[in-house]
Amino acid sequence: MMHKKMILLGLLFLSVLLSAQSPDINLGGIDFPKAYIHAGKEFPGGIYGVVLTLKEAVPFFNVYNSNEGLLFEEMAIVMENSRSGKKSAFRLQKGFVKGKEFFRIKVMRSGQTLMAYFLVKK
């Protein structure tokens, strides 16, 4: 009897963990105001589709062209934070960092801040 309770408790715990994992977050069309470089390849400024996703439990920003073709994946920089509340699923910020050397996409959600940096072409 005790063995069955432990199995049921384990299955319940597993289902809670799986449901807590968030699905992909479609950030929509993000305007990259200037040309940028990724992995040695130049991309023109313009609107790119961006999706925040998990790949083997690691967050990535997937960047798509206008034909919805995947251009590349950029591993997210993850910072833990103490943001509380459930006002919205996430908050998005985008813009240049100091010196305008990088364009940054920043997604803030409960407990985490995820960022991607794109080198601006000089």
Side-chain angles (χ1 to χ4, degrees), residues 22-122:
S22 63
D24 292 352
I25 299 174
N26 185 349
L27 303 176
I30 293 187
D31 185 14
F32 286 68
K34 294 186 177 188
Y36 63 97
I37 299 168
H38 182 271
K41 185 175 179 186
E42 183 181 325
F43 296 91
I47 297 176
Y48 292 87
V50 179
V51 175
L52 179 58
T53 188
L54 288 177
K55 183 177 177 182
E56 298 179 15
V58 177
F60 281 86
F61 287 88
N62 289 348
V63 179
Y64 296 86
N65 63 15
S66 60
N67 297 326
E68 297 185 15
L70 179 63
L71 295 173
F72 59 85
E73 299 173 320
E74 176 68 20
M75 187 183 301
I77 297 169
V78 180
M79 293 175 45
E80 301 300 319
N81 65 35
S82 60
R83 182 177 172 237
S84 61
K86 192 79 173 169
K87 294 178 184 173
S88 65
F90 68 92
R91 199 169 99 213
L92 173 67
Q93 289 181 346
K94 52 197 182 285
F96 294 103
V97 293
K98 271 189 175 176
K100 296 189 177 184
E101 185 176 355
F102 291 94
F103 179 72
R104 178 180 65 194
I105 298 173
K106 182 176 180 181
V107 175
M108 292 160 288
R109 58 184 182 181
S110 184
Q112 282 186 326
T113 299
L114 302 116
M115 296 172 286
Y117 291 84
F118 302 91
L119 179 63
V120 174
K121 184 178 179 229
K122 299 277 179 192

Side-chain angles (χ1 to χ4, degrees), residues 3-24:
H3 185 62
K4 287 183 181 180
K5 285 183 180 178
M6 293 301 287
I7 291 174
L8 287 174
L9 188 58
L11 289 173
L12 178 63
F13 182 71
L14 182 62
S15 68
V16 168
L17 281 177
L18 291 175
S19 66
Q21 291 182 349
S22 63
D24 292 352

